[in-house]
């Protein structure tokens, strides 16, 4: 029987690199709508190829219909609850978006491949969300994840935790800036920031605990912000924020984007700038957390 360590060893950096290469390019609803649809189709195809149930979750924005993609594995009816892993697949209008956020989607897809061998007590949903970036129409962001969080509330989902993969491929011996914090922050950008709010403290503890327990080679900077992060706006800049606002436990997993990456939202955000081994360790850490949250059993 396979063990968790076997799954960790199965994570492939080459596969992650391949997904980033396939997705790289401006993926924007106004400037490059066909490329955005092509990215959606690629992700859906990968999920279906792996045997996942895939739901196209529709929402509207300025008269147009867009979709989140939800790849599901049902859990035990007796256990209940669900675990979500989320990454957005759109980019801003001027950037090929390799780090932001082809890297997060690539990790999501590799996670789907490795977890295909796992059966869970809780339902697991791997979700590629659309329209995370600010709109050219109205300047608002997080539209796909906001629609997903509203649906969760309307349908009464029991969520154990949401893990949001937000720009997870840029790291190394680079300067790390930080907003004002009540704790000392690293000055070198070689770590993964794991950002929680007060309601997500247990999930934060579990994530960091699993990385340490399994000896995963990934420096972490855990940060729990008061309330829903209102006093630290940078802590709300991804798809976890709508879940925080509705009372669900959620973590943002991030390389801190513009606080270290000079290519953030720029034409230079390309695959050649990424640290694929770092993204591979992020995938392993996320895998370990999903296994623990969903109580996965390896077949």
């Amino acid at each position: 029987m396979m063990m968790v360590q076997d799954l960790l060893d199965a994570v492939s950096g080459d596969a992650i690199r391949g997904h980033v290469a396939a997705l790289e390019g401006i993926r924007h609803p106004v400037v490059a709508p066909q490329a955005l649809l092509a990215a959606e189709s690629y992700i859906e195809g990968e999920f279906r190829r792996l045997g996942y149930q895939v739901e196209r979750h529709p929402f509207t924005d300025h008269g147009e219909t867009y979709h989140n993609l939800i790849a599901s594995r049902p859990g035990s009816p007796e256990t209940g609850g669900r675990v979500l892993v989320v990454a957005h697949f759109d980019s801003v209008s001027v950037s090929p978006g390799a780090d932001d956020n082809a890297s997060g989607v690539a990790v999501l897809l590799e996670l789907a491949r490795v977890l295909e061998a796992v059966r869970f007590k809780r339902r697991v949903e791997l979700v590629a969300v659309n329209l995370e970036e600010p709109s050219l129409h109205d300047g608002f962001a997080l539209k796909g994840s906001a629609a997903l969080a509203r649906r969760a509330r309307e349908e009464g989902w029991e969520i154990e935790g949401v893990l949001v993969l937000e720009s997870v491929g840029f790291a190394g011996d680079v300067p790390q800036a930080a907003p004002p914090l009540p704790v000392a922050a690293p000055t070198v950008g070689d770590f993964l920031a794991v950002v929680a709010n007060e309601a997500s403290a247990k999930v934060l503890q579990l994530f960091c605990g699993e990385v340490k327990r399994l000896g995963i080679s990934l420096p972490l900077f855990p940060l729990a912000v008061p309330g829903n992060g209102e006093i630290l706006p940078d802590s709300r800049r991804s798809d976890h924020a709508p879940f925080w606002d509705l009372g669900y436990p959620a973590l943002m997993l991030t390389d801190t984007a513009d606080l270290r990456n000079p290519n953030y939202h720029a034409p230079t955000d390309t695959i050649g700038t990424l640290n694929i081994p770092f993204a591979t360790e992020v995938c392993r850490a996320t895998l370990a957390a999903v296994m623990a949250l969903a109580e996965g059993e390896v077949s």
Side-chain angles (χ1 to χ4, degrees):
M1 177 178 290
M2 293 178 65
M3 305 297 288
V4 173
Q5 188 60 51
D6 296 317
L7 294 179
L8 297 178
D9 293 342
V11 173
S12 168
D14 288 341
I16 291 171
R17 181 185 299 276
H19 290 312
V20 175
L23 292 163
E24 183 179 30
I26 297 172
R27 309 174 298 280
H28 188 272
V30 175
V31 173
Q34 292 304 312
L36 184 62
L37 287 171
E40 181 181 312
S41 178
Y42 175 82
I43 296 163
E44 182 176 4
E46 289 296 301
F47 282 148
R48 292 193 185 278
R49 182 179 64 82
L50 292 167
Y52 285 84
Q53 302 170 8
V54 182
E55 178 188 352
R56 294 169 58 81
H57 170 229
F59 65 96
T60 59
D61 182 59
H62 289 85
E64 299 290 337
T65 298
Y66 299 90
H67 294 90
N68 301 320
L69 301 171
I70 305 173
S72 300
R73 280 289 167 80
S76 166
E78 294 80 18
T79 302
R82 66 183 78 197
V83 176
L84 277 65
V85 186
V86 175
H88 76 88
F89 61 90
D90 59 315
S91 75
V92 294
S93 63
V94 298
S95 176
D99 188 37
D100 187 13
N101 188 35
S103 67
V105 177
V107 168
L108 184 76
L109 292 173
E110 177 61 358
L111 190 68
R113 184 188 69 82
V114 176
L115 288 177
E116 191 277 333
V118 181
R119 298 300 174 262
F120 303 99
K121 293 184 179 179
R122 295 188 173 92
R123 185 178 186 86
V124 171
E125 295 182 327
L126 308 175
V127 188
V129 297
N130 209 340
L131 301 197
E132 186 269 355
E133 299 292 359
S135 169
L136 293 180
H137 294 297
D138 55 24
F140 292 108
L142 312 181
K143 292 181 177 180
S145 54
L148 184 66
R150 287 194 301 270
R151 175 179 171 182
R153 181 178 62 180
E154 291 165 0
E155 297 183 358
W157 292 5
E158 179 188 344
I159 296 178
E160 297 294 321
V162 182
L163 306 177
V164 173
L165 296 159
E166 173 55 69
S167 302
V168 293
F170 190 89
D173 186 16
V174 294
Q176 172 70 45
L181 294 171
V183 295
T187 58
V188 176
D190 62 354
F191 61 89
L192 179 75
V194 187
V195 183
N197 67 342
E198 291 176 327
S200 310
K202 290 183 179 180
V203 182
L204 175 64
Q205 183 179 22
L206 178 144
F207 187 96
C208 297
E210 287 299 292
V211 168
K212 181 178 181 180
R213 182 179 73 83
L214 294 167
I216 297 169
S217 180
L218 182 66
L220 299 180
F221 178 60
L223 177 65
V225 298
N228 289 331
E230 295 88 351
I231 67 171
L232 189 62
D234 274 352
S235 72
R236 294 180 49 83
R237 289 175 50 194
S238 192
D239 294 305
H240 60 294
F243 290 93
W244 281 4
D245 292 342
L246 295 182
Y248 293 111
L251 303 181
M252 175 173 59
L253 312 177
T254 180
D255 62 19
T256 74
D258 60 318
L259 298 179
R260 75 170 67 155
N261 189 346
N263 309 298
Y264 175 74
H265 283 188
T268 51
D269 182 10
T270 61
I271 192 171
T273 68
L274 299 190
N275 182 336
I276 298 299
F278 177 84
T280 303
E281 294 305 308
V282 174
C283 189
R284 292 188 173 115
T286 308
L287 185 156
V290 170
M291 290 285 289
L293 283 167
E295 298 185 65
E297 298 178 342
V298 184
S299 60

